[in-house]
Amino acid sequence: MKRRSALAVFGAGLALTLAACGGGGAGTGADGASSSAPADKGDITVGVAMPTQTSERWIADGKNVKEGLEKAGYKVDLQYANDDIPTQSQQIDQMITKGDKVLIVAAIDGTALSSQLSSAASAGIKVISYDRLIRGSKDVDFYVSFDNYKVGVQQGTSLLTGLGLKNADGSEGTATGPFNVELFAGSLDDNNAQFFWNGAYDTLKPYIDSGKLKVKSGQTKIDQAAILRWQQETAQKRMEDLLTSAYNDGSKVDGVLSPYDGISRGIITALQNAGYGGSGTKMPVITGQDAEIASVKLINDGVQYSTIFKDTRKLADQAVVAATALVEGKEPEANDTKTYNNGVKVVPSYLLESQVVTKDNVKSALVDTGYYTQAEVDAGKAS
Ligand code: GAL
């Protein structure tokens, strides 16, 4: 529903642009037949720079943004940078050289793109920061994302709920602990990592202070918990190290705060290799984010406790709507003009809502909304 209305707005906007350009008979060939890509629309290319194809989430984002833009008549230059910062910088340089009109960028390192953005601004190219805020540049025109602090709160809260310290309705649970937990954070060069961490840590801190939660490793600082580039293997290695160093006395891990499903899968592998989830030792309560299909299956199978669903279809729609406004020389509509200071300016933002998903609502949140089919959830694979 949301998707359709967003695209309708976009289509209408583009029609106005075309009328202003004096393009006649858009979509109609000389023989009067409808052509698939109206010529005038194709004059505008939107560059889309995505970080990596190793994560299903970014594949979906790239696909959704591309489809949305194409449906509205734009040409799209979609590039993935393999999580390599120089590659992404180079891709953006090329987009600028080729004369793309708007750039939609999900940065690998949010601080590494200032010179590219300054060239873009000089060339009159507008820049939308996609999901991850680009820092240290005045040349970011708009930001589309989710309420990232709230995502962290949701992750922290679901860890508490899974452990029984809180009830689903938000009231205090009957469990008293103490529970052994370990904390993971995302990649420190991604602005979101700090927001997720702050939201989660603020939520967990009272329970750490009261002794109901015990971070047995003592690693409670974000730089101790951070996983560079959000890598699954790095997370697995850190969990293995934690098990060896802090749980070699027969004690068990009861919960793990994980900020992202890929990291959760690394944590799960380390735990399974150490005998968790087999006979005798329960899997800890493990959180996540992105509702990646492999992790949704793990949730259904009772291996991972929760994830945070961020509907990338809606995010893509917002990026398309914002791109349209910028092409038309308008300010995209923001719903937050305070939170996202990138170190140089507060970037006007459109933030979407996220949702906690556990085994109880996989179907209503992910299948009934058409995000996945039941067959995909059962197989743990997107088709
Ligand atoms: C963040 C994003 C998360 C997750 C993570 C790892 O920037 O907000 O949803 O995808 O990157 O890719």
Side-chain angles (χ1 to χ4, degrees), residues 55 57-58 131-132 148 190 192 196 230 260 289-290 310:
S55 153
R57 181 228 141 139
W58 296 111
D131 195 69
R132 299 172 169 178
N148 294 305
D190 179 345
N192 287 348
F196 301 149
W230 308 85
Y260 158 60
Q289 175 173 203
D290 284 351
K310 304 198 304 192

Side-chain angles (χ1 to χ4, degrees), residues 21-196:
C21 294
T28 310
D31 57 357
S34 202
S35 64
S36 55
D40 307 85
K41 292 184 182 182
D43 289 346
I44 299 170
T45 300
V46 178
V48 182
M50 289 282 154
T52 176
Q53 273 169 308
T54 56
S55 153
E56 195 189 278
R57 181 228 141 139
W58 296 111
I59 297 175
D61 282 88
K63 178 173 165 281
N64 292 335
V65 172
K66 185 168 189 284
E67 280 175 7
L69 289 167
E70 283 176 348
K71 237 181 221 165
Y74 283 115
K75 273 191 193 153
V76 180
D77 180 8
L78 170 62
Q79 301 290 336
Y80 283 93
N82 208 11
D83 259 345
D84 183 56
I85 300 163
T87 303
Q88 187 165 61
S89 304
Q90 215 173 43
Q91 289 172 337
I92 295 173
D93 280 336
Q94 279 167 8
M95 289 171 182
I96 296 167
T97 313
K98 282 194 275 178
D100 294 359
K101 288 281 175 290
V102 177
L103 305 182
I104 297 176
V105 181
I108 297 164
D109 178 333
T111 62
L113 296 172
S114 298
S115 94
Q116 278 70 28
L117 264 50
S118 147
S119 314
S122 307
I125 299 166
K126 298 293 181 188
V127 176
I128 298 169
S129 198
Y130 185 90
D131 195 69
R132 299 172 169 178
L133 186 65
I134 299 173
R135 295 189 53 83
S137 167
K138 65 175 173 32
D139 303 314
V140 187
D141 295 286
F142 200 68
Y143 181 41
V144 290
S145 190
F146 292 81
D147 183 337
N148 294 305
Y149 180 85
K150 194 160 156 199
V151 168
V153 171
Q154 290 174 325
Q155 289 170 333
T157 305
S158 79
L159 183 62
L160 295 174
T161 312
L163 289 169
L165 288 167
K166 260 192 187 301
N167 297 319
D169 64 4
S171 60
E172 288 306 296
T174 48
T176 49
F179 295 111
N180 293 327
V181 295
E182 295 299 334
L183 313 176
F184 282 68
S187 193
L188 291 181
D189 51 7
D190 179 345
N191 193 58
N192 287 348
Q194 188 77 54
F195 275 80
F196 301 149

